[in-house]
Amino acid sequence: MRATSQLRVHLLLRLLLICFYLLSILTFAAAGVGDKLEKGQNLTDGDTLVSAGGSFTLGFFSPGASSKRYLGIWFSVSNATVVWVANRDQPLLDRSGMLVFNDLGSLVLQDGSRRTVWSSDFSGSASAAVVQLAYSGNLVVHNGSSDDASLWQSFDHPSDTLLPDMKLGKNLWTGAEWQLTSWRSADDPAPGDHRRTLQTTGLPEIILWYLDVKTYRTGPWNGIYFNGVPEARGYADKYPLLVTTSAWEVTYGYTAAPGAPLTRVVVNYTGKAERWEWDARRSTWSNLFQGPRDPCDDYGKCGPFGLCDPDAASSGFCGCVDGFSIPAATTPSAQTVKVTTCRRHAALDCAGGTTTDGFAVVRGVKLPDTQNASVDTGVTLEECRARCFANCSCLAYAAADISGGGDGSGCVMWTSAIVDLRRVDMGQNLYLRLAKSELDDHKRFPVLLVAAPLASVVIILLVIIAIWWRRKHTIMGAIPQKHSMAVPIVSLAVIKDVTGNFSETNMIGQGGFSIVYKGQLPEGRAIAVKRLKQSVLTTKGKKDFAREVEVMAGLRHGSLVRLLAYCNEGKERILIYEYMQKKSLNVYIFGTRYLLEHKCFLKLLREQNFLTQC
Ligand SMILES: *[C@@H]1O[C@H](CO)[C@@H](O)[C@H](O)[C@H]1NC(C)=O
Ligand SMILES: *[C@@H]1O[C@H](CO)[C@@H](O)[C@H](O)[C@H]1NC(C)=O
Ligand SMILES: *[C@@H]1O[C@H](CO)[C@@H](O)[C@H](O)[C@H]1NC(C)=O
């Protein structure tokens, strides 16, 4: 008897618990834990959006000890790990901030007195309907239909963190550059002095900057990994690296394999680039990579033609490549900065197409800075050698791509100084041009090292110069940069690419002055390409073109097509508009001429009130 009543109480308790659990789930859902805002909806301090999958949260936060409020996105499992901040240098002073998704389709952050402190620098579009925190942590404005081309996205405006599916580098279409900028301190997300960019000349390589001074480079992309970061091979299965070089973009990014732990790459406020991985078992981040990691990673540490060896701490890490040495100081007056630079032993013998020079192999290195190097990925290494040999200004060459195995393929040629060379595990071979006399093994000079006292004098001098240099640049860097909303100019080659070289199948209409083509950007967005006919390119025609660019560039209204870019290369005059399915072709064909005759448009221009319904 007793046992049954006990069982009953137990069951009742269980039932109550289940009810309580269900109730809590329901109230949680009612509190609005969604991932979207529709047009006209607001997000106030205390509200959050949570991405599908739950990894990311968007809301208001105060970093560290600061009491200031910022709108940002963080990892749901680690709410102090902020990956994106909207109002980096415009903090809110209290909890009365509000994010408004307005009628123009722009995101606007307002303070308590409804003043705008930040807005998405997106000039709005009638089709913008939804802002959504995507699975990846990307905050995206899109039109809400199945065609999911984004109109604005936070991934295009990185803070200090690179997440999977983000990019660093250049968009050659708009000229925009994606880069990471450190926070100013642990509790101030304002842009700091450290940046991480993708160098897009030469071979792609990632550069860390302090103001305008390079501090660390990863080494060039070799088809598999960045040449100076061989440890990336250890996590390439989980987080495959992706480098894209095309007419559209030169970018670096990475993805996350299904099931891989959360990860992030960050430039911290002390000027280190780091990759972290979430350890769910211990609820903490574990470090996979950090750069710079040793003295040899300091950019240009050993000067031109220097070779840094991380295992040579006793001799100050620095030496010279074969055929070069640091001259011994003979007199006190020779104790200048110049003394530490490597000097060539024997002059090259190359002129008028004849040469007796040859090449020495420098094995296992992080290749020198390729900023000014010329690159051709389409040739063999033998062809590369022949080219370098035949060109007296070529000082060294190397393979551009080792993904095919062997000695690699493609060609990088250096014609100016060899800078930032170091020894590295699984490094590549650099082929260095030397005079014939230097190539005979028995005549090789030992590397001469400067005496320690002299070295310290020089280091002190360098530090003084560096401090002076940084001061000068801090002042220069403090001048604020104006954000330009100008319409970008694009090259004819790019336009030909998107319109299939102005193919007739892409033609969507024709007027007296222009032909309109439909084009498609690589990310899927459709555009209308309006190409003026050669017959109208009189002085007046050119003036009309300039006027259309000027008027359309200044307009932002939901019911007007938006000018995205233009081109005036040679005899071509081309305007690129947002493509709108429902718009009459006349809008593109006649442009402002047509629009200016439109009563409603005139009214709009006069009143500068873009919210009236036409
Ligand atoms: C959102 O904010 C705007 C601007 O403050 C206000 O006009 C509007 O009524 C708000 N909408 C909602 C749904 O709270
Ligand atoms: C490349 O050339 C520019 C302009 O001459 C120079 O400022 C820069 O230091 C060079 N870079 C390297 C790595 O040599
Ligand atoms: C030598 O190489 C440089 C750099 O690639 C190039 O600008 C120059 O035209 C070349 N000279 C000859 C004679 O090919």
Side-chain angles (χ1 to χ4, degrees):
M1 193 63 197
R2 214 186 218 181
T4 29
S5 77
Q6 249 181 6
L7 195 70
R8 259 188 213 151
V9 170
H10 192 80
L11 273 175
L12 200 70
L13 271 176
R14 267 205 164 176
L15 211 69
L16 271 172
L17 258 177
I18 288 169
C19 279
F20 183 75
Y21 178 70
L22 283 175
L23 209 74
S24 68
I25 284 181
L26 282 174
T27 40
F28 192 54
V33 184
D35 64 348
K36 289 188 190 114
L37 286 183
E38 312 265 330
K39 235 179 188 173
Q41 282 188 327
N42 301 333
L43 189 86
T44 52
D45 197 329
D47 290 346
T48 55
L49 297 183
V50 176
S51 64
S55 298
F56 297 94
T57 303
L58 173 133
F60 292 83
F61 71 99
S62 293
S66 170
S67 63
K68 293 175 179 159
R69 303 296 284 169
Y70 296 87
L71 178 75
I73 298 171
W74 57 85
F75 283 97
S76 303
V77 287
S78 166
N79 60 13
T81 312
V82 175
V83 297
W84 183 76
V85 183
N87 52 325
R88 292 188 74 173
D89 44 10
Q90 302 290 332
L92 295 160
L93 302 178
D94 57 29
R95 291 175 182 257
S96 61
M98 185 196 269
L99 178 68
V100 181
F101 185 40
N102 71 14
D103 290 335
L104 288 177
S106 291
L107 281 170
V108 178
L109 182 63
Q110 299 176 337
D111 65 11
S113 48
R114 299 294 156 250
R115 268 193 311 252
T116 299
V117 298
W118 172 87
S119 71
S120 57
D121 64 343
F122 164 58
S123 50
S125 165
S127 54
V130 178
V131 54
Q132 184 168 25
L133 183 60
Y135 182 87
S136 58
N138 190 7
L139 186 66
V140 186
V141 175
H142 59 88
N143 60 18
S145 76
S146 53
D147 149 33
D148 64 351
S150 74
L151 299 165
W152 179 90
Q153 52 179 351
S154 62
F155 275 14
D156 281 341
H157 306 272
S159 294
D160 65 344
T161 301
L162 194 77
L163 293 173
D165 302 328
M166 286 178 77
K167 285 172 178 175
L168 286 190
K170 274 208 180 100
N171 179 341
L172 302 177
W173 165 248
T174 60
E177 178 156 13
W178 296 286
Q179 60 175 19
L180 302 181
T181 315
S182 71
W183 286 24
R184 189 146 283 284
S185 70
D187 40 23
D188 184 0
D193 294 334
H194 304 280
R195 289 181 297 132
R196 200 168 195 234
T197 65
L198 187 74
Q199 182 163 286
T200 52
T201 60
L203 282 175
E205 54 181 310
I206 308 177
I207 312 279
L208 197 60
W209 301 80
Y210 173 73
L211 300 172
D212 290 332
V213 181
K214 289 181 181 179
T215 56
Y216 166 63
R217 47 187 277 280
T218 57
W221 178 252
N222 63 18
I224 314 172
Y225 57 94
F226 290 97
N227 162 243
V229 191
E231 58 266 50
R233 295 168 65 122
Y235 48 80
D237 287 346
K238 280 186 284 185
Y239 311 117
L241 303 181
L242 217 62
V243 168
T244 309
T245 307
S246 73
W248 293 99
E249 59 180 75
V250 182
T251 56
Y252 150 74
Y254 66 94
T255 55
L262 295 171
T263 187
R264 64 193 167 99
V265 170
V266 64
V267 184
N268 70 23
Y269 63 90
T270 62
K272 288 222 188 294
E274 300 163 334
R275 178 186 282 275
W276 297 90
E277 178 184 71
W278 181 249
D279 180 343
R281 227 160 31 95
R282 296 190 300 140
S283 275
T284 179
W285 291 100
S286 64
N287 187 272
L288 294 187
F289 166 75
Q290 171 182 300
R293 66 208 131 176
D294 62 31
C296 284
D297 272 347
D298 294 345
Y299 183 84
K301 182 179 173 66
C302 300
F305 298 99
L307 176 56
C308 195
D309 184 350
D311 296 330
S314 59
S315 57
F317 302 104
C318 282
C320 297
V321 290
D322 286 349
F324 289 74
S325 61
I326 299 170
T330 46
T331 59
S333 64
Q335 293 179 3
T336 62
V337 177
K338 274 191 200 136
V339 177
T340 51
T341 49
C342 296
R343 293 246 187 90
R344 195 184 280 283
H345 296 152
L348 296 174
D349 168 36
C350 184
T354 58
T355 179
T356 58
D357 299 338
F359 293 100
V361 191
V362 186
R363 291 181 199 282
V365 292
K366 168 168 105 174
L367 294 177
D369 195 335
T370 64
Q371 182 185 8
N372 302 323
S374 57
V375 175
D376 186 345
T377 51
V379 298
T380 63
L381 194 57
E382 291 72 51
E383 171 69 19
C384 188
R385 183 190 188 90
R387 278 190 195 179
C388 188
F389 188 69
N391 187 333
C392 291
S393 54
C394 180
L395 297 176
Y397 72 93
D401 188 329
I402 62 163
S403 60
D407 288 335
S409 66
C411 187
V412 196
M413 291 198 292
W414 286 265
T415 52
S416 50
I418 302 298
V419 180
D420 199 36
L421 194 64
R422 66 163 291 169
R423 294 218 179 274
V424 68
D425 285 345
M426 298 195 290
Q428 252 170 272
N429 291 344
L430 177 74
Y431 302 89
L432 186 72
R433 182 182 210 114
L434 290 181
K436 189 165 177 270
S437 58
E438 291 303 312
L439 294 166
D440 305 329
D441 275 338
H442 61 276
K443 284 188 76 178
R444 238 177 233 170
F445 291 80
V447 173
L448 297 173
L449 290 164
V450 186
L454 176 60
S456 50
V457 167
V458 166
I459 286 168
I460 288 166
L461 264 178
L462 278 173
V463 165
I464 290 168
I465 289 171
I467 289 171
W468 169 80
W469 180 260
R470 281 180 184 197
R471 279 246 172 99
K472 189 171 145 209
H473 283 257
T474 312
I475 293 161
M476 283 161 59
I479 298 167
Q481 283 180 315
K482 239 188 156 164
H483 197 92
S484 162
M485 288 264 297
V487 172
I489 301 173
V490 295
S491 76
L492 186 60
V494 162
I495 296 172
K496 281 185 174 165
D497 190 18
V498 279
T499 57
N501 200 10
F502 302 111
S503 90
E504 283 196 17
T505 53
N506 287 326
M507 204 169 114
I508 51 174
Q510 161 152 220
F513 302 101
S514 58
I515 303 176
V516 182
Y517 301 86
K518 186 176 175 180
Q520 192 109 33
L521 300 190
E523 73 259 24
R525 186 163 166 194
I527 53 171
V529 176
K530 172 177 166 178
R531 184 191 196 191
L532 296 207
K533 290 184 177 171
Q534 296 298 317
S535 58
V536 301
L537 277 190
T538 55
T539 314
K540 182 176 179 314
K542 284 178 186 167
K543 259 192 196 158
D544 283 350
F545 173 83
R547 174 145 176 75
E548 184 165 346
V549 170
E550 196 186 310
V551 171
M552 295 309 291
L555 286 179
R556 34 189 294 188
H557 179 256
S559 70
L560 293 177
V561 289
R562 204 154 63 93
L563 183 65
L564 298 173
Y566 69 97
C567 164
N568 61 359
E569 214 170 290
K571 287 188 167 172
E572 293 286 355
R573 296 291 183 278
I574 299 167
L575 294 152
I576 292 153
Y577 283 105
E578 172 178 34
Y579 181 81
M580 294 181 104
Q581 203 77 50
K582 289 178 220 133
K583 288 282 172 205
S584 152
L585 263 180
N586 287 341
V587 174
Y588 305 119
I589 290 173
F590 298 106
T592 47
R593 194 187 298 263
Y594 170 83
L595 288 169
L596 286 169
E597 283 161 14
H598 199 288
K599 271 192 193 145
C600 180
F601 182 72
L602 266 181
K603 194 172 140 233
L604 279 172
L605 269 187
R606 220 177 292 120
E607 298 174 0
Q608 290 292 303
N609 173 8
F610 298 135
L611 295 175
T612 50
Q613 201 60 47
C614 289

